[in-house]
Amino acid sequence: MTEYQTILVERRGRVGIITLNRPKALNALNSELMNEVVGVVKEFDVDDAIGAIVITGSEKAFAAGADIKEMSTKTYAEVANQQFFGAWDELARTRTPIVAAVTGYALGGGCELAMLCDFIIAGDNAVFGQPEINLGVIPGIGGSQRLTRAVGKAKAMDMILTGRNMKVEEAERAGLVSRVFPKEEALAKAIEIAEVIASKSLIASALAKEAVNRAFESGLTEGVRAERGLFYSTFATDDQTEGMAAFVEKRDPIFTHR
Ligand code: CAA
């Protein structure tokens, strides 16, 4: 069993759960935590026994941002030469779906980590924001790009330039959050949702995720062309044969992720 300093890791059936666990710092994302989260996500991602991943924090804070104490004395040369925050980009390359279960503060890097996941399930006390401007910096883990794509230019500019927070009602209205539950239930609901995802063909869910991400990253014609190719490739899988045979035979499919 690997020992972790900043996270808790659990396998529940086909769902891998990562809980950020630096309660005294409201789960501020330091380098150790980044490396632990990214390392576990990469392990889960190549494990057939895991069909979905949940990343969560505590009821008070999903994560209150990158660790300001760790960053405060860094110079330009250090952050640039060390490619500071660079490892987080790995999360965007995973094939396995990742659900963020957010309660409490998701600020700065915390909001960015939630947005690096495939979608966000929130508790009714969730608060989102990109307050970096108050520290004399700007978002550095993709926030200026993913928030703008999620909520549009007007709200993204408003939040990133003023540093104001967005409560969960506004975040849901704006499309940042997919579903909201009472804060005590949000994690359990996110795990239930991840279990639904994990019950499908892992190959199909990875291709579906890739297709939706094309909508995020490319134009319509290119995206539709990519989708068609990904759709065709599902016909090379045992899970397509099984899924369609099960429908015709009026039974539940047994996916083998092949
Ligand atoms: N980094 C380091 N430590 C942090 C932290 C952070 N981002 N956020 C909170 N903490 C620490 C506090 O320093 C405090 O530690 P001490 O007890 O040792 O003083 C502890 O967590 C509890 O925090 P507070 O006492 O401030 O708790 P609160 O309930 O009064 O306030 C809060 C909560 C409003 C979230 C407040 O902690 C806060 O504003 N945090 C910073 C939010 C922020 O600016 N995030 C952006 C960081 S920059 C970034 O993320 C860059 C990027 O693009 C990636």
Side-chain angles (χ1 to χ4, degrees):
M1 272 290 274
T2 318
E3 289 278 325
Y4 302 101
Q5 303 306 313
T6 64
I7 58 174
L8 305 172
V9 178
E10 188 191 339
R11 287 162 177 265
R12 204 177 293 180
R14 290 185 49 73
V15 175
I17 304 166
I18 299 172
T19 305
L20 310 181
N21 188 32
R22 296 188 69 211
K24 288 190 183 133
L26 301 184
N27 292 333
L29 311 172
N30 63 7
S31 299
E32 188 179 28
L33 181 145
M34 171 179 72
N35 291 329
E36 290 191 343
V37 170
V38 170
V40 173
V41 166
K42 284 170 77 173
E43 277 172 32
F44 282 157
D45 197 31
V46 293
D47 185 343
D48 267 6
I50 295 292
I53 299 166
V54 173
I55 299 182
T56 194
S58 69
E59 193 170 299
K60 177 167 183 188
F62 176 73
D67 192 314
I68 301 168
K69 291 167 188 164
E70 180 185 44
M71 277 185 298
S72 60
T73 56
K74 288 202 184 288
T75 63
Y76 171 80
E78 283 167 352
V79 290
N81 293 346
Q82 293 164 8
Q83 301 194 31
F84 196 60
F85 293 155
W88 285 119
D89 297 343
E90 297 270 357
L91 294 200
R93 287 193 278 275
T94 55
R95 286 167 55 81
T96 308
I98 309 178
V99 180
V102 174
T103 43
Y105 295 111
L107 302 180
C111 186
E112 293 170 301
L113 172 57
M115 293 189 293
L116 265 166
C117 299
D118 295 309
F119 61 98
I120 301 173
I121 299 298
D124 54 10
N125 68 337
V127 174
F128 298 87
Q130 297 290 163
E132 290 87 348
I133 200 86
N134 299 328
L135 302 167
V137 296
I138 70 167
I141 313 177
S144 62
Q145 306 305 298
R146 293 195 178 89
L147 186 66
T148 307
R149 283 168 166 78
V151 304
K153 182 181 168 190
K155 268 193 198 295
M157 280 287 190
D158 174 3
M159 290 178 68
I160 289 169
L161 294 178
T162 66
R164 80 172 174 92
N165 291 342
M166 198 191 247
K167 289 192 178 151
V168 74
E169 298 79 16
E170 185 181 1
E172 189 186 25
R173 253 194 338 267
L176 180 61
V177 158
S178 75
R179 300 191 227 176
V180 182
F181 296 100
K183 63 180 190 303
E184 304 77 18
E185 293 170 24
L187 175 59
K189 291 288 184 188
I191 294 170
E192 252 175 50
I193 292 163
E195 280 166 350
V196 171
I197 295 169
S199 73
K200 319 286 183 196
S201 159
L202 179 55
I203 299 189
S205 58
L207 294 175
K209 167 171 163 164
E210 195 178 330
V212 174
N213 278 332
R214 283 300 174 100
F216 225 50
E217 291 165 11
S218 66
L220 182 62
T221 306
E222 192 190 331
V224 171
R225 191 180 305 129
E227 181 201 71
R228 196 63 43 77
L230 293 166
F231 169 71
Y232 291 155
S233 67
T234 62
F235 284 75
T237 68
D238 294 346
D239 286 346
Q240 174 268 333
T241 313
E242 167 62 11
M244 293 190 178
F247 176 83
V248 173
E249 292 160 18
K250 300 189 187 301
R251 60 174 175 82
D252 289 335
I254 301 167
F255 293 123
T256 54
H257 316 295
R258 292 283 178 274

